[in-house]
Amino acid sequence: MTSTFRLEDFAAPNSASPARAGTPALPRRLRKMLSLDDFEHAARAFLPRPIFAYVSGGCETNRSLQGNRSAFADYGWQTRILKNTAARTLGTTLLGEDWAAPFGIAPMGISALSAYRGDLVQAQAAAAANIPMILSGTSLIPMEEVVRANPRAWFQAYVPGEPERIALLLERVERAGFGTLVVTADTPVSGNRENNLRAGFSTPLRPSLRLAWDGITHPGWLFGTALRTLIQHGMPHFENSQATRGAPILSSTVTRDFGARDHLNWEHFDLIRRRWKGKLVLKGILHQDDALRAREHGADGIILSNHGGRQLDGAVSPLQVLPGVVQALGPDYPVMMDSGFRRGNDVLLALALGAKFVFVGRPFNYAGAVAGEAGVRHAIGILASEMLRNMALIGVNSPAELGREHLFSRP
């Protein structure tokens, strides 16, 4: 039987309350982490300023980044009382596979720069919790190593615009053993991330006195992540953007090759669909016409996303377009989403509006930076426990029971 979450599976959230019998004691550094936001506050102090800015920031005025969070305030819960909710479960089926909860880890580039072996600790924590993890195409650990650690991980590709390079990348992903490919389509060019430049971040990072000072003044990250990585694994490279190894993460001269991504069109997606035999998901959709077209062109599912507010400033929140997309596609097509999720309540709200699954990004990055795999596992547990608790307060036993009847739209 596939494992799923139960509220009693989680250790007490603070050191004042004893853990359930048989549950390992929570590491001291995690006892004050009561919400996903707590990991962000801890990561801000732990990470050098340029790296935290890269993870946390959006683009230009941060309007989309902020809008992703404010969109949740458009709804309130209409709770039901005297409902027997003793049998609550988060178990969910997605794309033919059973998962322990209706959320997973979103793809995040350069995770191994903020956390030691960041992609691996996310993959291992996801495998232990039985939730999906999507490996980013801009990750720093070879995809082959990550999929060995978690054979059910998905791979997210930033495909180049040249058909021959697309074919070579797909061949590598298939050889590695991934069963689900996520094609991100909202990056024909990179967003205008001014916050990165102001904080001294670039890809690759450029050696400078300022960068050195940022590292020296954050010794936990310097010794626990940066130097530990260099000593044990050498200089990190962009390992998975193409069929071959890419640029190093630190260089004064090398530039990254993104390929002609602004040439991408539906014909390229058709090429991918013909060549890829596994499950295929299209990510970065914000318009219901594109959602319908994705299904027509063979996508097994879609992910509504504005890239966490990192691409087009002012792009609509995925939550705002979710009801219309679900109505257009019908209740059975796998509509997933990301961008702005921080609470179990957020996930439940998206499910009530018709999403089949939610992916959460930055908080798991922060958790890995602060406490490695244990941090990611704890963050997963926090999110799951919030969901299970609030399901009882709403009056449902499973994610599938949630619907618009549980929501009140604020004027």
Side-chain angles (χ1 to χ4, degrees):
M1 175 179 283
T2 302
S3 63
T4 188
F5 288 108
R6 300 172 302 168
L7 192 59
E8 62 266 26
D9 289 335
F10 304 110
N14 57 64
S15 56
S17 302
R20 184 173 59 90
T23 301
L26 200 62
R28 181 178 298 276
R29 64 185 179 279
L30 291 176
R31 292 177 188 172
K32 293 183 179 180
M33 302 298 161
L34 308 184
S35 71
L36 298 189
D37 284 339
D38 291 336
F39 283 106
E40 179 173 357
H41 298 318
R44 184 187 295 272
F46 178 79
L47 292 172
R49 181 170 174 249
I51 297 173
F52 181 80
Y54 167 76
V55 178
S56 64
C59 65
E60 296 185 355
T61 68
N62 281 333
R63 180 179 160 196
S64 292
L65 180 70
Q66 296 159 2
N68 287 339
R69 291 298 305 139
S70 63
F72 291 101
D74 292 340
Y75 299 92
W77 292 107
Q78 295 190 119
T79 61
R80 302 302 303 272
I81 63 170
L82 299 178
K83 307 278 281 188
N84 184 348
T85 58
R88 300 189 308 285
T89 176
L90 296 181
T92 302
T93 300
L94 177 70
L95 298 176
E97 294 191 67
D98 293 329
W99 304 99
F103 65 84
I105 300 179
M108 291 172 284
I110 325 181
S111 289
L113 186 62
S114 52
Y116 175 71
R117 310 299 278 168
D119 306 300
L120 272 177
V121 301
Q122 291 171 19
Q124 291 162 348
N130 187 30
I131 63 171
M133 174 266 189
I134 309 177
L135 177 66
S136 171
T138 55
S139 47
L140 302 178
I141 296 176
M143 64 175 76
E144 294 81 2
E145 188 174 348
V146 175
V147 79
R148 282 196 298 270
N150 183 349
R152 299 179 75 199
W154 301 5
F155 181 75
Q156 174 259 329
Y158 293 103
V159 294
E162 301 87 352
E164 62 278 6
R165 295 175 69 179
I166 293 176
L168 290 171
L169 177 59
L170 294 183
E171 289 173 8
R172 181 185 172 194
V173 177
E174 185 177 28
R175 283 197 309 271
F178 289 93
T180 301
L181 174 68
V182 180
V183 173
T184 292
D186 60 356
T187 56
V189 296
S190 297
N192 182 22
R193 301 177 189 175
E194 295 173 4
N195 66 298
N196 289 355
L197 299 177
R198 298 182 197 282
F201 185 88
S202 62
T203 55
L205 287 165
R206 307 299 182 190
S208 68
L209 291 176
R210 176 183 177 182
L211 185 64
W213 178 252
D214 282 323
I216 291 170
T217 54
H218 292 80
W221 172 86
L222 178 64
F223 291 101
T225 301
L227 292 180
R228 185 180 176 190
T229 298
L230 287 171
I231 292 169
Q232 296 191 19
H233 307 282
M235 175 64 69
H237 284 62
F238 289 92
E239 298 283 359
N240 305 312
S241 298
Q242 307 293 336
T244 57
R245 194 182 210 194
I249 190 61
L250 181 69
S251 175
S252 59
T253 58
V254 174
T255 57
R256 292 177 63 192
D257 179 9
F258 293 100
R261 293 203 304 234
D262 55 352
H263 286 65
L264 287 171
N265 56 55
W266 287 103
E267 292 181 3
H268 293 89
F269 188 76
D270 291 338
L271 168 66
I272 295 169
R273 178 69 283 182
R274 288 194 301 270
R275 298 187 69 102
W276 181 256
K277 304 307 180 186
K279 300 181 184 75
L280 181 60
V281 175
L282 188 58
K283 178 178 181 290
I285 290 175
L286 289 175
H287 197 289
Q288 70 180 46
D289 290 348
D290 285 336
L292 288 166
R293 199 165 185 183
R295 183 175 64 179
E296 292 167 2
H297 284 254
D300 296 302
I302 61 170
I303 299 178
L304 304 180
S305 174
N306 66 14
H307 218 97
R310 298 165 74 85
Q311 280 298 101
L312 174 64
D313 197 34
V316 67
S317 165
L319 193 74
Q320 292 173 306
V321 302
L322 173 63
V325 170
V326 171
Q327 183 177 17
L329 289 171
D332 298 326
Y333 188 76
V335 175
M336 300 161 268
M337 64 181 300
D338 65 21
S339 302
F341 290 87
R342 295 294 180 273
R343 286 281 184 177
N345 235 357
D346 302 337
V347 179
L348 294 174
L349 199 158
L351 299 176
L353 289 173
K356 293 288 190 261
F357 218 83
V358 163
F359 287 94
V360 181
R362 291 178 176 95
F364 293 130
N365 191 308
Y366 299 138
V370 171
E373 183 180 343
V376 180
R377 288 196 189 201
H378 186 52
I380 292 170
I382 287 173
L383 198 61
S385 64
E386 288 178 348
M387 292 179 66
L388 284 166
R389 182 178 295 107
N390 288 348
M391 283 166 57
L393 296 172
I394 294 166
V396 297
N397 278 298
S398 73
E401 293 180 21
L402 288 162
R404 289 296 296 265
E405 67 272 16
H406 296 104
L407 295 176
F408 179 82
S409 300
R410 304 186 195 279

